[in-house]
Amino acid sequence: MANELVITAIRELAEGLLANDPDNFLVDIRIKPTNNIKLFLDGDKGVPVDKLVSFNRALYALLEEKALFPDGDFSLEVSSPGLDEPLKLHRQYLKNIGRKVEATFLDGTSKEGTLTAVTDEGFTIEELIGKKKEKKSTEIKFNEIKHTKVCIVF
């Protein structure tokens, strides 16, 4: 439970830093038992490395100032979510329209296709079906899936 309170406090600090930066947004915060804080930022057009570095420095200073970890025994990693990270926020779905994604359903099955639309309730993918690769649009509700990941296409 204490971890939840710390995450909430870090979230508030991070969102305060992002208040004047409308192109970037907080995706997730995780804390390992060793007080290793992993914070994921994303942006509508990606997040440049220099932005991640400056955000890390600013947040680190705030964490020290607020003494959330009284002995200073913490580390902070700020990065953008990698391709192995599932999409978590509506805004991430929007930024990935046009990309190939894989949605894994609650029952463990999955579908792959090009993300073509996003609504408040879900998203639409365009699948290629059969030998003739006919296009089929499939609507998927957010509450029907475990997660969605962007596929690497070579």
Side-chain angles (χ1 to χ4, degrees):
M1 186 64 163
N3 220 17
E4 304 274 334
L5 295 173
V6 172
I7 288 173
T8 299
I10 294 170
R11 180 174 304 281
E12 289 172 4
L13 293 172
E15 287 173 350
L17 289 172
L18 290 169
N20 295 324
D21 188 3
D23 291 337
N24 297 304
F25 53 94
L26 179 62
V27 175
D28 197 14
I29 300 171
R30 299 179 195 147
I31 302 177
K32 291 185 176 180
T34 57
N35 290 340
N36 172 256
I37 304 162
K38 290 188 178 244
L39 188 136
F40 296 97
L41 288 183
D42 206 346
D44 297 323
K45 298 175 184 165
V47 184
V49 173
D50 61 328
K51 178 70 179 176
L52 295 171
V53 170
S54 64
F55 187 88
N56 184 311
R57 289 181 180 146
L59 183 58
Y60 193 94
L62 285 174
L63 291 171
E64 284 187 317
E65 180 184 309
K66 300 291 182 187
L68 292 177
F69 301 91
D71 298 328
D73 64 338
F74 71 94
S75 62
L76 175 64
E77 294 176 35
V78 176
S79 69
S80 59
L83 289 176
D84 58 331
E85 290 290 324
L87 302 178
K88 293 189 176 227
L89 303 175
H90 189 265
R91 198 165 167 181
Q92 287 181 290
Y93 281 87
L94 290 172
K95 94 171 223 176
N96 283 291
I97 289 176
R99 297 185 76 183
K100 188 173 182 180
V101 296
E102 178 183 31
T104 302
F105 293 89
L106 296 173
D107 66 3
T109 61
S110 63
K111 286 188 182 267
E112 275 188 22
T114 301
L115 182 61
T116 58
V118 181
T119 66
D120 289 341
E121 294 81 33
F123 57 98
T124 303
I125 61 171
E126 188 174 85
E127 301 174 84
L128 297 177
I129 307 292
K131 290 181 182 178
K132 293 186 179 183
K133 301 289 184 190
E134 293 182 43
K135 294 179 181 179
K136 175 188 172 199
S137 285
T138 303
E139 291 183 25
I140 300 171
K141 303 285 185 210
F142 289 124
N143 63 2
E144 298 173 343
I145 60 168
K146 285 183 187 176
H147 57 79
T148 303
K149 291 186 177 185
V150 174
C151 299
I152 301 170
V153 179
F154 295 99

